[in-house]
Amino acid sequence: MNNFTFYSPTEFVFGRSTESLVGELCLKHGASRVMIIYGGGSVVRSGLLDRVKSALTAAGIAFTEMGGVQPNPIDTKVREGLEIAREFKPDFLLPVGGGSVIDTAKAMAVGYYYDGDFWDLYEVVDGKKKATGTRALPLGVVLTIPAAGSEGSGNSVITNTTTKVKVGIRYPMILRPKFAVMNPELTMTLPEWQTASGVSDMMAHILERYLSNTPDVQIGDRLAEGMLLAIMENAEKLIADPQNYEARANIMWSATIAHNDTCSIGRVEDWNSHAMEHEISAEYDVTHGAGLAVIFPAFLQYGAKHNPHKIAQLGHRVLGVANSGDEAADAMAGALALKTWFHDKLHMPVTFAQLGIENPNLELLNERLHKLKGDVLKGYMDLDAAATMEIYKLAL
Ligand code: NZQ
Ligand code: ZN
């Protein structure tokens, strides 16, 4: 196991009706002027936004708001938010929604104190970020969809609308939320597509950490395998019965643990499937988790041939593959078992065509990928342009 630092200060407040505590939580974490950020209207329709505002008013907290954050959040919305923030001068940000809303708030949080355009913090020049954020406005979260895990992570992913670069920042020391209110009941209004895309995303977050060549990280491996089993079991329950509170609760907490680095401690992580998916959702504006259901099995199929050991282990311990003694064959069986499960049980697309992209421009995706990440993507496998193209083609 490698040396590690794990700093996860978020106060998670989980369970039924917990959104009524948001005013007290804001006060407890030092807020007096709050900027609420939300998405395209689901929190308005459900009445959640009104309940959040009532809780803030009851706590004597002044607030302003910005709605309209779209899935696959964009740079121009961050700038709009920063303009409002510079006028209102909040001391706390309160995203109410999912990963797109939270990531927009995080971009604002770190951009607020940056003396220049916030995109400098995201932009990669010569393999390095153009600028580094050192300070951020504190934020709390009211989560409405278990998926991206942004409620417990220090990450934010934004798309630049001019260049179509979708890229993340990772500042666990300053961008992990101060608190996250997580009421599983709030997720019952999610359409099946969003529930399933969220499941696919959280499974990918675990697998990005699991696919590692660092030896002797049994604790991380066993946590990851146990979580994958629990997620798959509860996801199937939710597809059958979206109102199942216990399944909603298990899935919601899983999404957080999948991405708050619990499973990655002490080892090198991969993240190349995410990098490949981000090119797809940046170009074609598809749902991130659905894009991962297409790319991840293809990545595993390629991996079965080039570095099978963890994929075979995944097959044996999670995906019901019998140990034949042939690691590569078992890894391939594992990759195909996951693909089948995504398709048959989760009703996710597993090819570009099923994702609604009949003729993907793979050359463009691959070119942008390597422009952003360099000639060779390092990780569980070293992937040059020919390798990533092979993976994209396996997803056709
Ligand atoms: O915008 P509204 O109207 O709120 O609708 C949203 C949106 O259309 C809807 N929704 C959310 N909660 C709902 C609901 N509809 C009904 N009932 C509810 N309770 O769901 C749609 C998707 O929302 P979004 O916030 O985009 O979902 P998600 O949490 O999956 O976030 C996806 C974004 O996060 C990025 C992805 O790339 C993508 O841009 N990621 C962020 C990460 C991070 N910060 O650590 C890591 C991930 O790997 C990921 O890359
Ligand atoms: Zn993801």
Side-chain angles (χ1 to χ4, degrees):
M1 191 188 282
N2 298 340
N3 290 4
F4 67 87
T5 300
F6 179 58
Y7 179 68
S8 181
T10 308
E11 179 180 0
F12 295 102
V13 181
F14 192 98
R16 294 181 199 270
S17 305
T18 41
E19 65 271 21
S20 64
L21 302 173
V22 73
E24 290 164 38
L25 283 163
C26 283
L27 284 179
K28 183 173 163 183
H29 289 277
S32 62
R33 291 176 73 75
V34 167
M35 181 163 170
I36 304 170
I37 297 133
Y38 61 94
S42 71
V43 301
V44 178
R45 289 190 294 278
S46 68
L48 175 63
L49 187 64
D50 280 344
R51 296 205 294 283
V52 166
K53 288 181 184 173
S54 299
L56 294 182
T57 304
I61 292 173
F63 59 84
T64 189
E65 67 186 88
M66 176 182 75
V69 173
Q70 67 182 59
N72 297 319
I74 52 175
D75 56 345
T76 49
K77 196 69 189 176
V78 175
R79 291 192 192 97
E80 181 188 329
L82 280 169
E83 241 176 72
I84 298 170
R86 296 220 156 94
E87 179 114 340
F88 179 73
K89 299 192 178 14
D91 54 16
F92 202 85
L93 302 181
L94 184 65
V96 181
S100 298
V101 171
I102 303 168
D103 286 7
T104 299
K106 285 177 175 173
M108 289 170 55
V110 70
Y112 191 73
Y113 291 115
Y114 177 65
D115 197 15
D117 183 42
F118 90 98
W119 186 254
D120 293 351
L121 302 161
Y122 288 73
E123 190 171 2
V124 178
V125 181
D126 295 332
K128 281 199 311 204
K129 291 287 183 198
K130 195 167 167 189
T132 306
T134 50
R135 197 179 162 201
L137 276 170
L139 69 148
V141 169
V142 181
L143 187 67
T144 62
I145 172 170
S150 192
E151 67 281 4
S153 82
N155 305 25
S156 158
V157 184
I158 301 291
T159 299
N160 183 309
T161 41
T162 311
T163 59
K164 294 226 173 161
V165 169
K166 181 176 184 180
V167 68
I169 54 171
R170 188 173 195 172
Y171 292 118
M173 301 304 282
I174 57 171
L175 277 188
R176 290 206 205 250
K178 299 294 172 200
F179 67 78
V181 167
M182 298 170 64
N183 175 0
E185 289 172 318
L186 298 178
T187 70
M188 289 184 185
T189 49
L190 282 168
E192 182 188 283
W193 169 262
Q194 290 296 346
T195 298
S197 296
V199 167
S200 151
D201 192 18
M202 68 186 79
M203 290 176 71
H205 293 163
I206 297 169
L207 290 170
E208 297 280 18
R209 293 166 162 99
Y210 188 79
L211 294 177
S212 171
N213 299 314
T214 309
D216 294 323
V217 197
Q218 284 85 1
I219 182 71
D221 277 3
R222 292 296 188 181
L223 276 169
E225 290 155 1
M227 285 177 57
L228 288 167
L229 286 166
I231 291 169
M232 291 169 82
E233 184 181 329
N234 282 285
E236 288 185 27
K237 286 184 191 167
L238 274 190
I239 297 298
D241 176 14
Q243 304 304 310
N244 182 330
Y245 177 87
E246 296 304 335
R248 287 273 177 209
N250 276 278
I251 288 291
M252 196 173 206
W253 188 235
S254 298
T256 305
I257 302 296
H259 199 43
N260 83 339
D261 293 334
T262 306
C263 295
S264 46
I265 50 175
R267 60 167 144 203
V268 176
E269 302 164 43
D270 191 64
W271 293 104
N272 288 330
S273 304
H274 262 70
M276 293 186 70
E277 192 293 317
H278 283 163
E279 295 304 328
I280 303 173
S281 49
E283 178 60 23
Y284 297 106
D285 200 19
V286 296
T287 305
H288 168 64
L292 285 167
V294 173
I295 279 299
F296 230 105
F299 182 88
L300 294 178
Q301 278 171 261
Y302 179 89
K305 287 198 208 138
H306 296 272
N307 189 8
H309 74 287
K310 290 306 284 282
I311 305 169
Q313 180 179 303
L314 176 77
H316 298 150
R317 296 183 182 175
V318 178
L319 297 164
V321 176
N323 192 338
S324 70
D326 180 340
E327 208 171 50
D330 291 0
M332 186 58 78
L336 295 175
L338 184 65
K339 186 175 185 171
T340 303
W341 187 83
F342 276 148
H343 184 266
D344 291 359
K345 303 291 185 189
L346 214 49
H347 308 154
M348 278 279 98
V350 289
T351 63
F352 274 101
Q354 289 173 11
L355 192 56
I357 309 168
E358 288 296 339
N359 294 304
N361 188 342
L362 298 187
E363 285 73 24
L364 177 76
L365 299 182
N366 209 34
E367 193 189 309
R368 284 198 187 137
L369 174 70
H370 287 278
K371 190 167 171 224
L372 184 66
K373 297 285 176 183
D375 291 343
V376 177
L377 278 63
K378 296 273 179 195
Y380 180 64
M381 296 172 287
D382 286 353
L383 303 173
D384 61 11
T388 48
M389 181 54 96
E390 193 176 332
I391 295 170
Y392 276 133
K393 284 186 175 163
L394 281 168
L396 284 172

